[in-house]
Amino acid sequence: MKAMQLSAWQTPPEIREVPEPEPGPGEVVIRVAGAGACHSDLHLLHDFAPGMMPWNPPFTLGHENAGWVHTLGAGVSGFSVGEPVAVYGPWGCGRCKRCQVGMENYCERAADQPAAGGGLGYDGGMAEYMLVPAARLLVPLGDLDPVEAAPLTDAALTPYHAIKRSLPLLTPGATAVAIGIGGLGHLGVQILRALTAARIIAVDNRPEALRLAERSGADHAVRAGDDAAGEIRDLTEGLGADVVVDFVGVDATLALATAVARPRSDITVVGIGGGTVPFGFFSVPYEASLATTYWGSRPELMEVLELARHGRIKTEVHRFPLEEGPQVYERLAAGEFTGRAVITPNS
Ligand code: NAD
Ligand code: ZN
Ligand code: ZN
């Protein structure tokens, strides 16, 4: 079968012919419907170097996947062939306390695992078929379209987890600022809209992303730049934001986040842009809490799918055949997409 693989660190992805996977005991092979092209893959393709991760190429890209059950390994029950499923992306040991409660994104034995997930050391979903090492990593989709559902496993799950930690602050009248309205950000805005009655201010440096923010339910769309902090202060009557979620994570966005956050706020960094911000008595608001977050839990994925099922969130999807995968990443890097580009290897 064909697969889009990373062959070596810091090389462009390639379409290669690879053997079709066969499930061992407890494993499941899915026929891939959709595999989202996440900005993290650009970091993976361009910024990662030998020794940075305990795992190495070659592997098939695609860590945001959904499809149909194709073959069940020995001993797997509870799923039927042809059933649409989402693949929970962060693969932990499955046995530690965190994994037992479905929080495999923070597996206690992550450092001892051979890789982090499909598309992250293990073969991912940018191929006709994908091997999933345990049935516990599959979530039934019911009547959700598996192409549209693929981005929900990361582009929605990650903001959902980031926002959920701040729900107590997001009372009616509170302000949430979302910075970077791409694949994650446009779903982040929809999740804020679905879960809260807070005022939502979206920030991006692309006009088309700001329009997407408005379509997604933002109350205000602010162009990134020198005036952004002042505009946000004005929109909040000088108070600043109760919650800032930064889906970019470069120096400029972190500086904006700390500039507009008010005392007792949450500042959550989701983007892995590699920026830093000084943390000290005079550099962040009083009692602001700063956190980075990584992906989300399995129960949270089920909650995200429920939001989609009820029409409360919807990914703006652009579909591409597997062969166009390498160009999709070039176009993602050039900022040409609104929403999420999804590779559909079987359509
Ligand atoms: P994307 O390319 O779809 O969207 C990024 C958006 O940020 C674009 O709309 C872009 O115009 C905007 N942007 C870029 N620089 C900006 C700036 N200086 N100011 C304002 N806006 C700016 O990316 P994505 O797939 O949504 O991913 C977003 C980030 O989240 C990436 O860094 C990605 O690696 C990271 N990520 C983190 C996790 C996690 O678990 N923490 C999971 C998935 C993705
Ligand atoms: Zn991702
Ligand atoms: Zn674990």
Side-chain angles (χ1 to χ4, degrees):
M1 66 170 187
K2 287 201 174 19
M4 180 156 68
Q5 292 210 318
L6 177 66
S7 311
W9 294 123
Q10 295 176 9
T11 61
E14 295 170 59
I15 308 287
R16 300 166 94 188
E17 196 60 36
V18 300
E20 235 177 78
E22 290 195 16
E27 300 177 338
V28 179
V29 169
I30 68 156
R31 191 159 73 89
V32 179
C38 178
H39 202 111
S40 297
D41 289 331
L42 294 178
H43 299 300
L44 192 71
L45 293 170
H46 302 303
D47 307 337
F48 284 35
M52 266 177 72
M53 290 288 146
W55 36 273
N56 284 298
F59 56 86
T60 301
L61 291 163
H63 58 262
E64 193 178 275
N65 308 301
W68 303 273
V69 171
H70 181 62
T71 354
L72 299 171
V76 178
S77 59
F79 287 95
S80 48
V81 171
E83 181 175 355
V85 286
V87 181
Y88 175 68
W91 297 350
C93 72
R95 294 177 55 185
C96 73
K97 236 173 156 178
R98 295 270 170 82
C99 285
Q100 288 289 358
V101 298
M103 212 189 282
E104 301 202 23
N105 50 327
Y106 298 138
C107 169
E108 290 170 1
R109 294 195 285 188
D112 305 333
Q113 301 308 304
L120 300 167
Y122 294 109
D123 287 332
M126 294 193 175
E128 291 161 72
Y129 299 98
M130 175 184 178
L131 179 71
V132 179
R136 72 167 195 278
L137 302 166
L138 298 177
V139 180
L141 281 178
D143 53 8
L144 285 174
D145 169 26
V147 174
E148 289 193 10
L152 299 177
T153 65
D154 177 15
L157 174 57
T158 302
Y160 184 81
H161 176 73
I163 290 163
K164 226 181 147 183
R165 86 179 192 100
S166 298
L167 282 182
L169 292 179
L170 291 169
T171 50
T175 298
V177 172
I179 307 173
I181 313 302
L184 272 67
H186 87 295
L187 285 158
V189 169
Q190 294 178 43
I191 291 162
L192 284 165
R193 187 39 81 233
L195 299 186
T196 79
R199 174 201 282 133
I200 304 167
I201 303 176
V203 181
D204 204 289
N205 49 17
R206 295 182 302 146
E208 63 274 25
L210 293 177
R211 287 197 293 273
L212 173 61
E214 285 167 344
R215 285 201 292 286
S216 302
D219 297 295
H220 306 281
V222 170
R223 189 77 182 258
D226 293 342
D227 300 334
E231 268 185 64
I232 293 169
R233 292 248 157 235
D234 289 346
L235 288 168
T236 57
E237 297 85 38
L239 290 177
D242 297 272
V243 173
V244 183
V245 187
D246 181 355
F247 295 107
V248 183
V250 297
D251 286 347
T253 56
L254 292 170
L256 176 65
T258 45
V260 301
R262 65 186 292 191
R264 312 204 70 169
S265 59
D266 279 354
I267 301 171
T268 304
V269 181
V270 173
I272 55 179
T276 55
V277 72
F279 179 74
F281 198 88
F282 295 111
S283 50
V284 293
Y286 297 128
E287 294 192 34
S289 104
L290 279 74
T292 56
T293 58
Y294 175 65
W295 226 322
S297 72
R298 234 165 42 224
E300 285 170 338
L301 175 57
M302 301 181 94
E303 291 164 24
V304 162
L305 295 177
E306 214 53 60
L307 279 179
R309 209 165 277 132
H310 286 88
R312 307 297 294 274
I313 59 171
K314 191 171 170 61
T315 316
E316 188 160 307
V317 164
H318 309 278
R319 300 169 190 233
F320 296 94
L322 183 62
E323 293 67 31
E324 287 179 30
Q327 293 94 287
V328 165
Y329 281 113
E330 285 170 23
R331 294 182 60 189
L332 179 66
E336 286 185 25
F337 296 123
T338 51
R340 197 53 135 196
V342 176
I343 306 294
T344 57
N346 280 294
S347 58

